[in-house]
Amino acid sequence: MLELLTNPQAWIAFATLTALELVLGIDNIIFISILVDKLPAARREFARRIGLLMAMFMRIGLLLVLAWIVGLVAPLFTVAGQEISGRDLILILGGLFLIWKSTTEIHQSMEGEHGDDKASAVKATFASVILQIMIVDLVFSLDSIITAVGMVDDVRVMIGAVIASVLLMMLFAGAIGRFVSNHPTIKMLALSFLVVVGVVLVAEGFDHHVPKGYVYFAMAFSVVVEMLNIRMRKKPAKPVELRPPHMPGS
């Protein structure tokens, strides 16, 4: 253990993997924030922490059964000439769930209050929110652990990076959740982003790799533009001043 703590390569791997886990955890934080927003205000923070803790324990548990994860890449069956493994099946089902859930949330946000009375009257229970968080945690954890295994060889470094990243996510998740909840346009962007992430997961399940850097860049660009719009809307509007026409020769 002492050799690990004094090894600079281990610390570099730890910092790199922690940063990567934070980036990969953005979509998880957004999804958890949107789900807990359906709970009473007094229980949201507790549910958010429970969701992130479950994500941490699920990732650590998957790290401890790396042999099982490696076995998930073995083909289970073939669909239209495409071999589907256990990992592919989890990614496809998780992606479809994310698309369905995000689309449902967009529909309820846009039409729930004025549309179907039943849709607006439904309140999510604590247990149902936690169950949905667990489902998505499994998908995101699998994706995160596969990335970690490809970068670091020492399981202890992986576990340390997972714990550190989740603690940092807990530190900022509340502020992110409140910001998303208080700004409907940001919430719509977040839900749209989750739909795209779901499509990417389904594509990866069928062995069509889509670089997530493009997805994250597009989302970051959209958020920056919307932040500028929010800032502009807070400023008092000034009347447009018309200049006198310029006369030739004057």
Side-chain angles (χ1 to χ4, degrees):
M1 186 66 180
L2 184 60
E3 294 179 358
L4 185 66
L5 293 176
T6 56
N7 185 357
Q9 294 295 328
W11 282 105
I12 293 173
F14 171 79
T16 304
L17 190 55
T18 300
L20 185 62
E21 290 287 331
L22 282 172
V23 173
L24 293 175
I26 291 174
D27 39 18
N28 204 358
I29 292 176
I30 293 173
F31 187 79
I32 291 174
S33 299
I34 291 172
L35 281 181
V36 300
D37 197 39
K38 301 172 74 69
L39 293 172
R43 309 198 71 183
R44 291 175 188 170
E45 190 62 29
F46 178 66
R48 186 180 291 114
R49 292 183 182 276
I50 289 292
L52 288 172
L53 280 174
M54 285 193 308
M56 182 181 73
F57 286 119
M58 195 170 293
R59 292 179 188 189
I60 292 175
L62 289 175
L63 281 172
L64 297 176
V65 289
L66 288 179
W68 176 74
I69 292 179
V70 172
L72 283 177
V73 299
L76 294 177
F77 53 88
T78 303
V79 176
Q82 177 70 47
E83 293 183 342
I84 303 296
S85 65
R87 171 184 175 272
D88 295 334
L89 194 60
I90 291 174
L91 290 176
I92 292 170
L93 294 178
L96 290 174
F97 173 78
L98 204 57
I99 294 171
W100 168 77
K101 186 60 184 176
S102 301
T103 305
T104 303
E105 290 292 329
I106 292 174
H107 175 77
Q108 290 184 357
S109 298
M110 297 296 294
E111 301 185 12
E113 295 182 0
H114 305 290
D116 187 10
D117 292 337
K118 291 183 179 180
S120 61
V122 171
K123 288 291 183 180
T125 63
F126 187 85
S128 68
V129 168
I130 295 299
L131 178 61
Q132 293 175 70
I133 290 175
M134 287 179 63
I135 294 173
V136 176
D137 274 347
L138 175 62
V139 180
F140 289 149
S141 296
L142 186 66
D143 187 35
S144 174
I145 294 308
I146 290 172
T147 303
V149 171
M151 290 186 59
V152 183
D153 295 327
D154 198 314
V155 175
R156 294 172 295 177
V157 175
M158 296 181 197
I159 292 176
V162 166
I163 294 174
S165 63
V166 170
L167 291 177
L168 288 172
M169 281 191 276
M170 283 185 176
L171 187 63
F172 298 107
I176 293 174
R178 287 187 292 273
F179 181 78
V180 171
S181 178
N182 294 334
H183 295 84
T185 52
I186 294 294
K187 184 175 181 179
M188 286 297 105
L189 278 177
L191 288 169
S192 302
F193 169 64
L194 290 173
V195 172
V196 174
V197 171
V199 173
V200 170
L201 290 175
V202 173
E204 288 187 356
F206 287 103
D207 292 334
H208 296 287
H209 180 66
V210 180
K212 287 190 176 179
Y214 295 133
V215 180
Y216 288 129
F217 175 79
M219 184 60 189
F221 178 79
S222 301
V223 170
V224 169
V225 172
E226 186 53 35
M227 293 290 290
L228 293 174
N229 286 333
I230 291 173
R231 186 173 180 181
M232 289 298 295
R233 285 195 292 266
K234 290 182 179 179
K235 293 183 178 181
K238 295 182 179 180
V240 178
E241 296 181 1
L242 299 178
R243 296 181 179 181
H246 177 74
M247 300 297 294
S250 59

